[in-house]
Amino acid sequence: MTELRHRKEQTCQEPEKTLRTDLEDEMGSVLLQHLVKLFFGCLAAVTCGMMYAVYLSTYHERKFWFSSRQELEREITFQGGNGLYYYYYKYMLAASSFEKGINDLMRDNRTISAQTINAVEQLSLYPELITSFLYRVTGSQDMIEPVYFYIGVVFGLQALYVTALFVSSWVMSGTWVAGMLAVAWYIINRPDTTKVDYAIPLRDNWALPYFSCQVAALTGFLRNNISSSGEMFCYLLLSASTFTFILIWEHSHYVLFIQSLALFLLDCFDLVQPRKVSVYLCSIILAYMLQFQNPSLLSSPLLSLLVALLSPLQQNMKAGRMAARLMKIVLHFYLVFTIGITFSYIIKKTIPVNESDHILKFLEVKFGLNSTTDFVTNLLLCQEGFQSPGQDYFLRLTQASVLPFYLLVLLVCLLSTLQAIRRRLSGEPIKAKLRLEDGMIGEQPEVIYHVFHTLLFGALAMLMKYLWTPYVCMFTAFGVCSPELWVTVFKWLKLKSVHPVVLGLILSTAVPTIIGFSLWREYFPRLISELSELQEFYDPDTVELMNWIKTQAPTAAVFAGSPQLMGAVKLCSGWTVTSLPLYTDINLLRRSENIYQVYAMRSAEDIYKILMSYKASHVIIEEAICGEMNPSKGCRIKDLLDISNGHVIYEKGEMYTFSKYGRFCQEIKMNYSPYINYFTRVFWNRSYHIYKVNTVVSFQY
C-alpha cells in the first residue's frame, strides 16, 4: 500500500514538473526574443547615429575643402559671428593651465571695450570649457588638430541627437523600424531640422541633442508598464539631460516651460501618475548654482509653474462627477497660473533681476499684438532663425511625405486622447496594461504627452522650426509603424470582414516599407550627390581684412562694426571689439544699435562721439550693409535705422525723409571735410573699408 501510494504521488507530480518546465522554457524563450530584439534595436540606433556623424563630417569637408585650408580660412568658415565661441575654445587651449584659463574668462576685459564681463556666464561657454578640458586630458594634442576635435564633438552630439529620436519613436511604437524611418526623415529634411551645416559652434547645436535625450528619457519614464529599475534609469537620465540642457543654452528654460505645460495638461486630466510631473526642480537648482546664481532662472516661467504645481492648494482637484471635475479643472488652471505669476512677481521684486522686456516686446510684435519702431525688436524679427516658415517649408515636408502622414497620425492620436480624457473625467481608472486588440492608443501616457508636445511646440514653429521639425519626423514615424494606431482606426470603423489586429499588423509593416522604399529611390541619390559634389567656400576679401588686422593693426586697437563681423575679428585676431553677436543681452544689443549708426543718416560728429564713447580706435564699414539693394525693404539694417531714428516714414506706399544728413557710410568715402577731421581710411577692398578714428580733431567745419 505504501509503495502504491508513492507511485500515485509520483504520477501526480510528473505533470506538475512538466508544466513547470514548459513554463520556464516559454519564459526563457520570450526573454531571449526580447533580448535579441533589444540588441538589434540598440545596434540599429547606434549605427544610424554613427552614419549620420560620418555623413556630416564628409559633407563638411566637401563643402569647405576644410583639410586643405589654412587656419585663418578654416576659422572664417564659422559664419554668422558664431565663431566667437571657437575663439574661447582656442583661448582655453592656449592658457598655461585650465584653472588660469577659467579665471581669466570669468574676469574678461579684453573682449568688449570699456567693459569687464564674466564670459563663461554671459556667453554660456560650458561646451568650450568641457571640450578644451577633454582635449587636454585625453592627450589628443599629438593625434588631432584642435579644430577637428571641436567639430568632431559637435558632430558626435548630432549623432546622439538622431539616436535619441530613434529611441523615442522605437519606445512608443515597439519596433525599431520606426526609429530608422524617423532618422531618414530627419536627414532628408536637414535644412529644416538643424543649423549644423553652416553654424557649427551655435549653442543650439550643443544643447538640442541633450533635449532630445531628455525627451527620450521622459517618453520611457511616463510609461505605465515600466519596471522600477527602468523607471529609475529614465529618471536619472532625464535629470542629467535636463540639467545639461539648462546649463548650456540660455533659452532652455523657455523650451522646458512649454514642455512642462504638456505635463501639466497630463496631470490636470489625471492621465499620468502625479509623481511623474515635477521632474525639473533638482536640475534647475544645480544649474542655478553653476550659472553663478543666474537670477533669470529664478524668475523664469518654468520655475514659477513648478512652484505652482507643488502648491498644496490643488488637493482634491481630481474627484467628483464629470461636471464637478470640469469646474475643478478650470479652478486648477486659475490657481496654478495665479500662484505662478505671483511667485514670479515676488522674485523679481525681491531679487535684482537684470532682465529687460525686449523678449516680451519681440513676442508681442511677432504675434501681431503690437507694432514698434524700436531697432532691437525689429532686428530680432528679421533674424533668419526667428522667421516664420514659408510655403516652401511645408512643401518640402509634403514632398518628403512627412506632413500628410503627420496630420493623419496626429488626428488619430488626438481623437483617441480626447476619448481617454472623457473616460478619465467619468471616473474610469488608468489601465495599467493595454492589449493590442483594445485599440486605445490614446490611453498611453507617453503618446498623450507627445500629442500635447507636438501641438504646443507647433506654435513655436513660427519662431523656431528647428525645434519642431525633428519631433514631427519622430512622431510621424512612430504613428505609421505602430500597430496600436491602425487597430484604433479599424476599431472605430468596426471592420467585420478582416480582424482589426491582423490588418493593423499588416499595415504597420507595409506602410513603413512603402515609405522607406520611395524615400530611398527619391532621396538617396541626392544625398550621395551631395557627398560627391565638390563645393568651394572662397572669401578672399575677408581673408585680406583679417590678415591686415593681424599684421598692421596696433595691439591696443579697438574695432567697431557689425556684431557678426566683430565675432569674426575676435576669433581671427583676438583684438578687442565694441560689440558681440549676442541677442539675449539688451545692453549688448543697444551697443550694436549705436555702432550700426554708421549706416544711418547721421553727421560725422555724431558718429565720432558714439565711437569714442566705446573707446573705438577703428571702424569697419561693410559694403554688403551700406550698399545693400535688396528690393524687399523692411529688414535692411539701414531701413531699420531710418525708421528707428525717425529719419524715414512710410505712409501709403510713399517715403518721407526727415534727415538733413546723408548716409554716413556712403559720404565718408568722399573723403571731404568734415569727415577727414574725424576719420582716416587705412584699409579698403571691395567688401570692407577700415577707418581710423582720430584722437584729436577739430570741431570747426
Side-chain angles (χ1 to χ4, degrees):
M1 291 294 292
T2 304
E3 183 179 353
L4 182 61
R5 187 164 51 252
H6 284 308
R7 287 180 181 176
K8 287 183 178 180
E9 290 177 355
Q10 186 176 3
T11 304
C12 294
Q13 289 175 356
E14 284 180 358
E16 293 180 2
K17 291 181 179 179
T18 304
L19 180 61
R20 189 182 306 113
T21 303
D22 291 342
L23 288 175
E24 290 176 354
D25 291 342
E26 184 178 353
M27 291 176 62
S29 176
V30 171
L31 179 60
L32 179 62
Q33 291 178 5
H34 178 74
L35 291 176
V36 170
K37 181 180 178 181
L38 182 64
F39 171 77
F40 281 105
C42 292
L43 181 64
V46 173
T47 302
C48 286
M50 293 178 62
M51 290 180 64
Y52 180 58
V54 171
Y55 168 79
L56 286 177
S57 179
T58 307
Y59 178 77
H60 181 262
E61 173 63 29
R62 293 284 184 174
K63 182 176 181 180
F64 296 111
W65 290 28
F66 208 71
S67 60
S68 61
R69 294 189 176 275
Q70 300 295 323
E71 183 180 5
L72 178 62
E73 294 175 312
R74 289 177 178 177
E75 292 174 351
I76 291 175
T77 62
F78 295 137
Q79 305 170 48
N82 60 81
L84 175 69
Y85 299 106
Y86 181 70
Y87 161 78
Y88 288 104
Y89 168 72
K90 288 199 313 178
Y91 183 88
M92 288 298 300
L93 294 181
S96 57
S97 68
F98 186 76
E99 294 77 9
K100 184 179 185 305
I102 292 180
N103 291 331
D104 290 344
L105 293 186
M106 291 172 61
R107 289 179 289 273
D108 182 11
N109 58 4
R110 292 175 292 183
T111 296
I112 304 176
S113 61
Q115 188 173 346
T116 299
I117 63 171
N118 183 340
V120 178
E121 176 186 4
Q122 199 156 351
L123 283 82
S124 301
L125 294 181
Y126 283 101
E128 284 67 35
L129 297 183
I130 296 172
T131 308
S132 62
F133 178 77
L134 292 176
Y135 188 76
R136 285 172 179 264
V137 300
T138 56
S140 302
Q141 297 91 329
D142 301 327
M143 296 182 294
I144 186 172
E145 297 180 55
V147 65
Y148 280 107
F149 188 85
Y150 185 85
I151 63 176
V153 172
V154 178
F155 290 159
L157 286 175
Q158 303 312 302
L160 180 65
Y161 196 164
V162 298
T163 301
L165 291 176
F166 184 110
V167 171
S168 295
S169 194
W170 176 21
V171 168
M172 288 196 296
S173 65
T175 172
W176 48 265
V177 176
M180 298 186 68
L181 184 58
V183 173
W185 267 328
Y186 177 91
I187 297 175
I188 288 170
N189 294 281
R190 197 178 71 256
D192 303 308
T193 57
T194 180
K195 293 183 276 190
V196 76
D197 287 356
Y198 58 90
I200 290 176
L202 277 183
R203 301 299 85 179
D204 313 25
N205 297 328
W206 288 92
L208 291 181
Y210 293 103
F211 180 64
S212 184
C213 288
Q214 191 254 14
V215 171
L218 183 59
T219 302
F221 183 70
L222 290 175
R223 301 188 69 183
N224 283 331
N225 58 348
I226 188 173
S227 64
S228 57
S229 58
E231 182 178 296
M232 179 57 66
F233 172 77
C234 289
Y235 177 77
L236 293 176
L237 179 59
L238 176 62
S239 300
S241 54
T242 302
F243 162 71
T244 310
F245 182 53
I246 295 174
L247 191 65
I248 290 177
W249 198 25
E250 62 271 16
H251 298 306
S252 58
H253 57 86
Y254 295 109
V255 176
L256 293 176
F257 170 70
I258 301 297
Q259 185 189 66
S260 64
L261 285 178
L263 294 177
F264 170 57
L265 291 175
L266 282 170
D267 181 56
C268 279
F269 297 111
D270 199 17
L271 298 170
V272 70
Q273 299 169 7
R275 61 186 176 81
K276 293 188 175 185
V277 176
S278 300
V279 294
Y280 306 106
L281 206 54
C282 294
S283 301
I284 291 179
I285 294 172
L286 289 175
Y288 171 75
M289 299 302 295
L290 281 180
Q291 284 188 341
F292 307 93
Q293 291 80 47
N294 184 4
S296 63
L297 277 181
L298 293 183
S299 62
S300 66
L302 172 62
L303 184 59
S304 300
L305 180 60
L306 291 179
V307 170
L309 289 176
L310 295 174
S311 171
L313 297 177
Q314 304 171 58
Q315 301 298 325
N316 302 320
M317 287 289 179
K318 301 172 185 176
R321 297 184 178 180
M322 181 178 292
R325 294 189 70 177
L326 286 174
M327 294 297 295
K328 289 181 178 180
I329 288 175
V330 174
L331 180 59
H332 190 194
F333 272 87
Y334 174 78
L335 285 175
V336 165
F337 287 101
T338 300
I339 295 171
I341 293 172
T342 303
F343 176 80
S344 178
Y345 177 81
I346 293 173
I347 288 293
K348 289 181 179 180
K349 290 296 182 181
T350 306
I351 301 175
V353 180
N354 185 20
E355 183 179 11
S356 65
D357 59 348
H358 72 285
I359 295 179
L360 180 59
K361 288 182 180 178
F362 163 76
L363 293 175
E364 288 178 352
V365 178
K366 179 66 180 178
F367 291 104
L369 303 176
N370 201 350
S371 61
T372 183
T373 60
D374 179 62
F375 175 84
V376 168
T377 303
N378 289 325
L379 179 66
L380 293 176
L381 289 169
C382 289
Q383 296 303 306
E384 183 182 358
F386 295 137
Q387 293 290 312
S388 300
Q391 293 182 354
D392 56 336
Y393 166 70
F394 297 102
L395 180 61
R396 287 193 298 270
L397 291 183
T398 302
Q399 290 174 340
S401 70
V402 179
L403 191 59
F405 282 105
Y406 168 73
L407 295 176
L408 172 64
V409 172
L410 179 61
L411 179 62
V412 174
C413 291
L414 181 60
L415 291 177
S416 185
T417 297
L418 294 177
Q419 288 183 337
I421 291 174
R422 181 184 60 81
R423 285 192 290 268
R424 205 68 68 250
L425 293 178
S426 299
E428 295 184 21
I430 300 175
K431 287 191 176 182
K433 201 166 186 180
L434 291 171
R435 299 174 301 169
L436 177 60
E437 55 268 23
D438 290 335
M440 293 166 24
I441 195 170
E443 286 282 344
Q444 302 176 29
E446 67 273 20
V447 173
I448 301 172
Y449 158 71
H450 278 284
V451 170
F452 293 147
H453 176 110
T454 190
L455 288 174
L456 292 173
F457 277 76
L460 285 181
M462 292 185 63
L463 299 175
M464 297 184 69
K465 66 177 181 180
Y466 299 103
L467 195 62
W468 182 61
T469 312
Y471 296 98
V472 169
C473 299
M474 182 274 296
F475 186 75
T476 308
F478 136 72
V480 297
C481 297
S482 174
E484 287 85 354
L485 183 133
W486 296 107
V487 172
T488 300
V489 174
F490 298 138
K491 291 282 283 187
W492 290 344
L493 297 177
K494 298 181 179 179
L495 291 181
K496 296 182 179 179
S497 56
V498 183
H499 198 283
V501 174
V502 175
L503 193 55
L505 291 172
I506 293 174
L507 286 181
S508 64
T509 304
V511 172
T513 303
I514 295 172
I515 294 174
F517 179 75
S518 63
L519 293 178
W520 177 276
R521 187 177 62 178
E522 178 72 20
Y523 290 96
F524 184 72
R526 299 186 190 181
L527 297 177
I528 296 299
S529 65
E530 280 185 351
L531 298 182
S532 60
E533 180 183 357
L534 288 174
Q535 305 180 46
E536 185 174 7
F537 180 81
Y538 186 60
D539 191 358
D541 290 346
T542 304
V543 172
E544 185 183 7
L545 171 70
M546 298 305 168
N547 278 325
W548 185 91
I549 293 174
K550 293 177 69 173
T551 58
Q552 301 297 323
T555 56
V558 176
F559 285 88
S562 69
Q564 289 73 23
L565 182 59
M566 292 302 97
V569 168
K570 186 63 182 177
L571 167 62
C572 298
S573 68
W575 263 242
T576 304
V577 296
T578 57
S579 58
L580 294 176
L582 295 177
Y583 300 106
T584 55
D585 191 314
I586 187 60
N587 295 322
L588 287 177
L589 285 170
R590 292 302 176 194
R591 268 188 174 232
S592 299
E593 178 183 3
N594 291 333
I595 300 300
Y596 269 133
Q597 296 299 322
V598 298
Y599 301 104
M601 292 182 283
R602 300 287 293 269
S603 67
E605 183 179 345
D606 287 346
I607 300 300
Y608 177 81
K609 290 179 178 178
I610 290 173
L611 295 176
M612 290 302 293
S613 68
Y614 295 120
K615 300 186 183 329
S617 62
H618 295 75
V619 59
I620 305 177
I621 304 293
E622 298 174 61
E623 283 293 333
I625 300 177
C626 183
E628 186 178 4
M629 298 299 294
N630 191 340
S632 59
K633 295 183 179 180
C635 274
R636 297 185 304 182
I637 293 295
K638 50 190 179 183
D639 294 334
L640 298 179
L641 289 167
D642 292 342
I643 294 173
S644 176
N645 295 336
H647 294 159
V648 168
I649 295 178
Y650 295 94
E651 288 185 0
K652 299 179 181 179
E654 298 292 333
M655 184 180 73
Y656 303 94
T657 305
F658 296 94
S659 178
K660 64 179 179 179
Y661 300 106
R663 200 166 298 281
F664 174 84
C665 66
Q666 295 172 351
E667 297 202 349
I668 193 175
K669 300 175 191 176
M670 304 300 180
N671 212 26
Y672 61 86
S673 181
Y675 296 93
I676 58 176
N677 295 328
Y678 300 108
F679 306 97
T680 303
R681 188 166 63 177
V682 294
F683 169 86
W684 68 93
N685 58 26
R686 292 175 302 173
S687 301
Y688 304 100
H689 294 252
I690 300 181
Y691 293 88
K692 185 178 183 301
V693 183
N694 298 331
T695 55
V696 180
V697 298
S698 171
F699 287 93
Q700 300 296 326
Y701 286 179

